[in-house]
Amino acid sequence: MHEKCGVVGVSLAGRAAARPLYYSLYALQHRGQESAGIVTHDGFQQYDHVETGLVGDAFSAADLDDLRGSVGAGHVRYPTSGGTDASCAQPFSVSFKSGSLGLAHNGNLVNAADVRGDLEERGHAFTTRGDTEVIAHDLAHNLLESDLVRAVKRTMSRIHGSYSLTITHDDTVMGLRDPQGNRPLCIGDLGDGYVLASESAAIDTLDGDLLREVRPGELVVLGEDGSDFDSYQLASPPQSANCFFEYVYFARPDSVIDEELVYDVRRELGRRLWEESPVETDVVMPVPDSGRAFATGYAEAANEGRESHEDAEGSAEEGEPSVEFAEGLMKNRYVGRTFIMPSQNERERAVRLKLNPIKSTVEGRSVTLIDDSIVRGTTSTQLVELLQDAGAEEVHVRIGAPPIVAPCYMGIDMASREELIASDETTEDVQDVLEADSLAYLSIDAIAETVGRERADLCLGCVTGEYPYDIDGEETDREVERPQVGNRTMEAAGDD
Ligand code: 5GP
Ligand code: MG
């Protein structure tokens, strides 16, 4: 399983957990649309409700009422191209001699088959193919022999890969982040309890206060009655491997990662993009919605550069206009991921359903189109053509991330290598495929500097091909597992 997902966990004083979990999953809906689930515990018994589809469709009011207890965990799962496998929906819940467990997992283990083999030899029977069940069984096994913290520590030393987990063990809720902190997880104060969530926007939704990130290798155990939490640093490797793509694309712009507002990071990346690859055009235009913050920064920097240039010269050129920032592409927000392509040969038209150019903004003008990333190249290829058809004189493309040259194995559904347009093409080649007048990507250094981290502390696997974990043998599986299916093109075409 290779998924980008959202996880939450809450422990409250005397208040039902189901609705706060439901609202926080709503806030994390962008991290996964394939399924949604909640597990709760009322001190006696575990309850769970997991269903495919969006959060709003997965739960009725009655479902939420049936999820009793003031502690629980929740999950939204990212869609995969291979169709829907209900058995992989989460949280994964199970009862053992050592108690009930509910696990919500964002990430991907690289040694799941190994761990699973060992457990099967010890008599554990598995019901899914997913690696979350492997973690559940390993933890259940360790809980027979040790207390909670020691059991988690043993599981942590056994499993390798990326994981941010929220876990219920009977009426105890905990959060666990892999030793390199690849996937995000943060903790918030709700006044009458605490919340763990993939992103701080979920904490905002509950009117809570973001306290801090869960540290790489840290286990956070929430108090059973919502009182306080305990922290255990179970592993402290010298280097972290935070996914840089959270900053660029995955996280909501209103989330805060490591005390930085993601929107501000993206805007600054846009400014850096101008510094590295300026181009004088009439209008700077974002690809909605993912390119907006980058385009804002790019246009700001362009205009500041112009002002300081004017100051230095002493006299501004008469009537020289500043670069315009304009929304020239309007998005139909009702085109969802479930849209089925009418037929293969209408695929290129797909983007027209999702994005429509504003002719008067484009016609006869030179346009700089800004997006966060190019994955397969579908979006930018089609948008360049769309803008040219709408009368643009020139279309320059600027991208707020480096070229994506390799797949992600760390829990993000990206693409197999041959689908990636930049995997074996130079930027010039990609520019030709796009039929753009120019194309430039942002450098890796600009990203590391802007997010304030050493390159070595970021996972840059998809832009360097070098991964923080040993991923032997993974690529073949992945390519077999991920056929190109009809609605992937739609998903890529103008998805934000
Ligand atoms: P492309 O069309 O080149 O395949 O994908 C680029 C577009 O998809 C960009 O607009 C970007 O915002 C978005 N995108 C980037 N990464 C991902 C991803 O992992 N999944 C999905 N669905 N979209 C992505
Ligand atoms: Mg996008």
Side-chain angles (χ1 to χ4, degrees), residues 317-364:
E317 257 185 60
E318 202 69 48
E320 167 149 39
S322 56
V323 177
E324 188 187 350
F325 171 90
E327 300 270 358
L329 292 163
M330 286 300 134
K331 183 170 163 181
N332 175 350
R333 60 187 66 252
Y334 301 101
V335 180
R337 288 165 188 266
T338 48
F339 182 81
I340 312 286
M341 274 312 117
S343 70
Q344 178 78 14
N345 63 8
E346 285 185 36
R347 272 193 193 178
E348 319 81 71
R349 309 299 293 169
V351 73
R352 292 304 314 262
L353 281 166
K354 192 140 188 178
L355 292 166
N356 194 34
I358 296 181
K359 262 211 166 114
S360 55
T361 309
V362 174
E363 207 160 20

Side-chain angles (χ1 to χ4, degrees), residues 425-466:
E425 307 258 22
T426 65
T427 299
E428 269 168 32
D429 293 338
V430 177
Q431 178 183 320
D432 288 346
V433 175
L434 263 49
E435 296 186 24
D437 292 279
S438 75
L439 167 68
Y441 294 92
L442 190 63
S443 69
I444 294 176
D445 285 340
I447 288 182
E449 283 162 27
T450 302
V451 306
R453 291 186 170 271
E454 298 291 322
R455 266 177 82 137
D457 284 325
L458 289 170
C459 179
L460 295 160
C462 62
V463 294
T464 61
E466 288 160 29

Side-chain angles (χ1 to χ4, degrees), residues 4 33 78-79 245 248-250 287-291 294 337 370-383 399 404 408 412-415 419-421 434 488-496:
K4 167 191 96 167
Q33 299 84 38
Y78 196 69
F245 223 62
V248 166
Y249 172 75
F250 290 127
V287 177
D289 297 304
S290 56
F294 297 90
R337 288 165 188 266
I370 306 218
D371 204 357
D372 65 291
S373 59
I374 293 179
V375 182
R376 296 174 188 77
T378 324
T379 307
S380 15
T381 305
Q382 296 185 0
L383 289 181
I399 299 295
I404 291 171
C408 174
I412 286 168
D413 174 40
M414 225 170 221
E419 286 178 78
L420 299 167
I421 190 172
L434 263 49
R488 282 219 67 85
T489 307
M490 188 62 217
E491 191 193 313
D495 172 56
D496 49 35

Side-chain angles (χ1 to χ4, degrees), residues 181-195:
N182 184 255
R183 315 304 317 148
L185 191 65
C186 57
I187 180 161
D189 187 348
L190 298 177
D192 63 347
Y194 290 89
V195 54

